[in-house]
Amino acid sequence: MESEFDRKAAMLAEQDPRFAIDAYYFISEAVAYTVSRLSARRHVSAAELLDGIREFASAKFGVVASNVLARWGMIKEDDAGTVVYLLIGAGLLRASEDDSPEDFATGNMLFPVVPVIRCVRRKSDKLPFID
């Protein structure tokens, strides 16, 4: 049996093809995760939610978290904010009067790109060498 969330998430994914339906489920779970980590029940700021999204994604997907979220259309913090506000608009999440979509418009990546460092060993190194 399909829930109200299922129906509305499918509608949102159809109306805005930038984001996969999984993005809506993920953000909903990430909000619940973030709120559950608070010492007392209270409102969560955009910055706290973004940190919670990153932490939840890392816990759920490990080192491929950024790839999974990117595949669903969430590359920048702004993208996560857009999904949050689409869920708010559908009545699936709530915002306070002080909240705004611009709170997420940082221009930052959800997961900063980390440069790949390659280690090159020479035969002259006193370490085991594998060809």
Side-chain angles (χ1 to χ4, degrees):
M1 185 173 168
E2 202 175 52
S3 70
E4 177 186 7
F5 189 95
D6 293 333
R7 285 189 302 279
K8 288 185 176 183
M11 178 193 69
L12 290 171
E14 189 176 310
Q15 289 176 350
D16 194 335
R18 291 178 296 171
F19 307 106
I21 192 168
D22 292 325
Y24 298 100
Y25 285 97
F26 172 81
I27 289 294
S28 177
E29 292 173 8
V31 169
Y33 171 85
T34 304
V35 170
S36 75
R37 311 263 310 161
L38 300 174
S39 58
R41 190 159 172 89
R42 64 171 174 78
H43 175 71
V44 179
S45 71
E48 290 172 314
L49 181 54
L50 288 167
D51 287 342
I53 289 168
R54 279 187 280 275
E55 189 176 311
F56 182 64
S58 293
K60 188 167 182 155
F61 304 116
V63 296
V64 297
S66 63
N67 296 24
V68 172
L69 297 185
R71 188 170 188 197
W72 295 342
M74 293 187 296
I75 298 168
K76 297 177 133 191
E77 292 179 344
D78 310 46
D79 300 327
T82 300
V83 173
V84 166
Y85 271 87
L86 287 169
L87 288 167
I88 290 168
L92 297 171
L93 291 178
R94 291 182 301 181
S96 76
E97 295 174 2
D98 298 331
D99 291 332
S100 162
E102 288 75 33
D103 296 340
F104 292 90
T106 64
N108 296 329
M109 304 296 279
L110 265 175
F111 286 88
V113 176
V114 179
V116 175
I117 300 172
R118 297 176 193 245
C119 180
V120 177
R121 293 187 181 166
R122 296 175 300 278
K123 288 185 180 181
S124 62
D125 292 341
K126 299 209 186 269
L127 301 169
F129 185 80
I130 300 172
D131 283 325

